[in-house]
Amino acid sequence: MLGLKIKTALQASILFAFGFWLLFFLSEGGLFSFFLIMIFFYCFFGNVIYGVPVSLLSEFFTKNLAIWRFPAAAFIHTFLAAVTYFIMEGFAFYVLIASVLFFLVDEWRKWDREMPGGRRIALNAASLLIACLLPMGVFWMLQQADLEEKTMIFI
């Protein structure tokens, strides 16, 4: 099981770095940067040290849930990622994105083995959107309030 979680961490880190590469490519036009390699390694380190234990904890707590396992696991992943706001305020948004990617890759790997019904997928997708977008919106509002406080510019 730990080997599967490490593979999930690797895949999620590749997706995270690819997202940054895409943003970098669209804004700067460069194809490659040492900075992207560092992003990948930091994300992989964080996923292995923080994401794998959270995922194992999530599976332990949600293994007996049938219908609500997906939303409960999404909540555990995003809530524990959101707690990092109080530890590393500047990186909390990136940790939340990495956590959501780790969760999605992990669930995709599970769905690959066992395909749930269509209604269950719709319920789970709606729950995922609520569980993921709500903390992201809260972080964005906190950052905007912090920016207004520092610059005294009210948007």
Side-chain angles (χ1 to χ4, degrees), residues 49 55 58 68:
I49 297 299
S55 184
S58 170
W68 295 103

Side-chain angles (χ1 to χ4, degrees), residues 15-37:
L15 279 174
F16 190 81
F18 177 74
F20 267 95
W21 174 82
L22 195 59
L23 287 173
F24 183 73
F25 179 73
L26 293 176
S27 65
E28 301 291 325
L31 291 177
F32 186 74
S33 171
F34 180 71
F35 179 66
L36 294 173
I37 294 173

Side-chain angles (χ1 to χ4, degrees), residues 18-134:
F18 177 74
F20 267 95
W21 174 82
L22 195 59
L23 287 173
F24 183 73
F25 179 73
L26 293 176
S27 65
E28 301 291 325
L31 291 177
F32 186 74
S33 171
F34 180 71
F35 179 66
L36 294 173
I37 294 173
M38 294 307 297
I39 288 174
F40 167 75
F41 282 121
Y42 277 121
C43 185
F44 183 67
F45 179 74
N47 278 336
V48 169
I49 297 299
Y50 188 74
V52 170
V54 167
S55 184
L56 291 172
L57 183 72
S58 170
E59 282 193 14
F60 176 75
F61 284 128
T62 62
K63 66 182 172 189
N64 293 330
L65 300 175
I67 296 174
W68 295 103
R69 190 202 62 78
F70 185 89
F75 176 76
I76 291 171
H77 279 268
T78 55
F79 177 76
L80 290 176
V83 168
T84 60
Y85 178 79
F86 301 108
I87 300 167
M88 306 181 301
E89 182 179 336
F91 295 107
F93 186 70
Y94 302 109
V95 170
L96 190 59
I97 291 172
S99 172
V100 169
L101 280 175
F102 187 94
F103 173 70
L104 289 175
V105 169
D106 193 34
E107 288 299 314
W108 174 69
R109 290 172 59 89
K110 287 178 192 171
W111 285 348
D112 207 23
R113 292 186 295 261
E114 54 186 61
M115 289 298 293
R119 194 168 84 181
R120 182 181 267 175
I121 289 175
L123 175 66
N124 290 336
S127 301
L128 175 70
L129 284 175
I130 291 169
C132 296
L133 292 178
L134 187 63

